[in-house]
Amino acid sequence: MIRIGVLVSGSGSNLQSIMDACERGGIDGQVAVVISNVPDAYALERARDRSIPTVVLSHNDYPDRSAFDRELAITLKEYRVDLVALAGFMRVLSDEFLGEFPGRIMNIHPALLPSFPGLGVRRKAIEHGVRFSGCTVHFVDAGVDTGPIIIQAVVPVYPDDTEEELRDRILALEHKIYPKAIQLFAQGRLIVTGRKVYVRGFDKDAAQCLVNPPLDI
Ligand code: GAR
């Protein structure tokens, strides 16, 4: 059973999917602590509803990034976490922080990396006219959304999509792939070699393919 520290800044729907998966046995682990840098983040309510310990560390209370990150690392260690899961955590982490949890920090991003890293990515995907977008769970490295990719899910994008429509389409899959990525980690099935993440016990499926608009229209 792994102990997961979840970092949040907002609504916490991904946190909810992780807590739900832990509860129904979809993740061999438990959420040990939820830490928010935003004092009134709704994610905190979700954690309290499940009687999971919550900590608020407001970055405004710290003189600089490294002071904040130091406190964050200390708190996560107090709760003896095996994995740090960023779930809508809207801050970049320092190299010092990354060094405290090598190979043990994951993030979810609402686009198909390496396309559309950073912020405002659903709008950017629609404006670019891509036919597919999706979501990515990756290990965190020193770059912004650049770490080794664990799992991705693809959704169609339509030219008349609103940002909200695309957000909801992507979010529904985020809630499936994040718990899955964490379970693969908990099972010790993820092997990172350079940029690549190998999944133990996984057979290739060469038939998987998506076309948008479909070929038969
Ligand atoms: C999610 O869509 C997540 O992918 C995104 O923030 C949202 C958080 O929603 N993360 C990022 O953009 C990270 N750069 P949630 O609070 O409901 O889980």
Side-chain angles (χ1 to χ4, degrees):
M1 292 285 273
I2 61 162
R3 293 174 61 82
I4 308 158
V6 184
L7 307 189
V8 297
S9 303
S11 143
S13 68
N14 277 288
L15 164 68
Q16 188 74 54
S17 74
I18 294 166
M19 293 189 300
D20 290 349
C22 289
E23 203 163 282
R24 66 165 185 271
I27 294 174
D28 299 332
Q30 66 180 102
V31 178
V33 64
V34 173
I35 305 177
S36 175
N37 66 316
V38 176
D40 61 355
Y42 183 63
L44 292 165
E45 294 286 313
R46 297 183 191 262
R48 288 185 199 116
D49 275 357
R50 293 291 176 89
S51 306
I52 288 170
T54 58
V55 177
V56 173
L57 295 179
S58 176
H59 52 275
N60 298 320
D61 295 343
Y62 295 84
D64 53 32
R65 184 178 300 281
S66 68
F68 173 80
D69 282 6
R70 242 190 331 270
E71 191 60 32
L72 198 56
I74 288 168
T75 310
L76 287 162
K77 288 190 173 191
E78 273 170 13
Y79 284 90
R80 294 176 289 109
V81 308
D82 303 297
L83 176 71
V84 180
L86 313 186
F89 185 64
M90 294 307 188
R91 281 185 66 82
V92 172
L93 294 163
S94 59
D95 289 354
E96 291 89 332
F97 182 90
L98 301 184
E100 297 287 340
F101 302 93
R104 295 192 289 134
I105 309 173
M106 280 184 195
N107 181 44
I108 186 147
H109 182 75
L112 285 179
L113 293 171
S115 290
F116 306 114
L119 297 174
V121 299
R122 305 169 195 89
R123 182 180 44 74
K124 286 177 189 165
I126 296 166
E127 283 174 359
H128 194 89
V130 293
R131 288 291 178 183
F132 289 104
S133 187
C135 42
T136 304
V137 180
H138 62 94
F139 284 112
V140 175
D141 68 6
V144 175
D145 302 321
T146 52
I149 292 168
I150 301 164
I151 186 167
Q152 293 186 304
V154 179
V155 302
V157 182
Y158 304 105
D160 59 351
D161 268 346
T162 64
E163 214 174 320
E164 290 67 34
E165 280 174 316
L166 182 58
R167 180 199 60 207
D168 291 347
R169 202 176 298 136
I170 292 173
L171 211 46
L173 282 167
E174 292 188 35
H175 299 159
K176 294 196 165 102
I177 67 168
Y178 211 175
K180 183 68 194 180
I182 293 173
Q183 173 64 346
L184 292 172
F185 178 90
Q187 292 173 320
R189 291 175 64 189
L190 300 179
I191 302 139
V192 184
T193 307
R195 281 215 52 80
K196 292 189 187 175
V197 180
Y198 293 85
V199 180
R200 267 201 195 99
F202 162 72
D203 292 327
K204 291 183 187 179
D205 178 358
Q208 276 188 328
C209 121
L210 290 167
V211 184
N212 176 33
L215 294 173
D216 59 358
I217 55 171

